[in-house]
Amino acid sequence: VKESRYLGVTVDESCTWRRHINTVIEKTSSAWNLIKILQKTPGCNSTKLLLHVVRAVVRSRLSYGQEAYFSAAKSHLLKLESRECCFLRAVLGLARHTPREVVYREAGWLPLSSERELRCAQYQVRARTVDNSTNVELDATFGRDAADEVRLAARPTVAAKTTPFGSFTQNLIGD
């Protein structure tokens, strides 16, 4: 099997995420027609409403599963950001050549890459919080010595802890 889908995320054999990212970009094509129709419909063409539609329809698709594919090549991840900027430029009435930073500032959004980093950091905080609360429960249930043995047996490997956001999350958590 060269690739498989799990919960809507396409995982390929070499973990390049190219196939998944291209599929996600294709899925946003139908939203382009929706935005164009809403822009021409009286009463539905306010920028605020259209930004909500882009966030609900486009950004939700582009960011789904990002905790899994954050390690994709930068060129693949930039395709996602490019696609989102196309929608934002159309909604905000900006020129095609407007830089991404300006587009995101005008929309009042975090860039997709920054949001990806934030979501991955939040995921790590949640995982550590669950781990810490489990430690407290183990200590209370089994006593400190028995709980230490359970923790040693369930210790994750070093590779599982390595992320490109390590320093960001360490500052956030305080480690």
Side-chain angles (χ1 to χ4, degrees):
V1 174
K2 300 273 184 198
E3 62 184 45
S4 62
R5 277 177 73 88
Y6 184 71
L7 297 175
V9 178
T10 306
V11 182
D12 62 357
E13 197 172 62
S14 57
C15 288
T16 61
W17 303 102
R18 184 173 41 91
R19 176 78 173 129
H20 174 72
I21 289 172
N22 289 338
T23 302
V24 168
I25 289 171
E26 287 173 22
K27 284 184 179 182
T28 60
S29 298
S30 60
W32 189 256
N33 293 331
L34 173 66
I35 296 297
K36 290 299 178 188
I37 290 169
L38 287 174
Q39 283 180 324
K40 293 177 183 175
T41 305
C44 293
N45 58 0
S46 78
T47 304
K48 188 176 179 180
L49 174 71
L50 292 172
L51 283 173
H52 283 298
V53 171
V54 170
R55 185 179 294 274
V57 177
V58 178
R59 177 155 281 195
S60 63
R61 286 183 181 160
L62 294 177
S63 64
Y64 178 76
Q66 63 191 353
E67 293 87 352
Y69 63 82
F70 68 88
S71 63
K74 189 171 183 169
S75 60
H76 296 317
L77 296 174
L78 283 175
K79 287 182 196 176
L80 295 172
E81 206 163 291
S82 252
R83 185 63 171 174
E84 183 175 60
C85 280
C86 286
F87 280 93
L88 291 175
R89 284 183 189 109
V91 166
L92 296 169
L94 300 173
R96 256 182 131 174
H97 61 276
T98 307
R100 289 183 185 145
E101 299 81 25
V102 174
V103 172
Y104 282 118
R105 194 175 328 116
E106 287 292 317
W109 290 11
L110 272 177
L112 201 54
S113 57
S114 298
E115 183 171 322
R116 187 179 313 105
E117 289 178 13
L118 178 65
R119 298 291 175 236
C120 288
Q122 287 173 336
Y123 177 78
Q124 285 189 340
V125 169
R126 281 194 314 267
R128 287 189 181 201
T129 303
V130 168
D131 188 39
N132 289 340
S133 64
T134 304
N135 288 339
V136 171
E137 291 172 17
L138 284 172
D139 289 344
T141 306
F142 300 110
R144 190 144 193 87
D145 294 333
D148 286 339
E149 289 179 28
V150 171
R151 281 197 276 303
L152 283 174
R155 182 178 288 168
T157 62
V158 176
K161 290 184 176 182
T162 305
T163 67
F165 311 108
S167 61
F168 179 73
T169 56
Q170 286 173 356
N171 292 338
L172 196 82
I173 297 169
D175 281 352

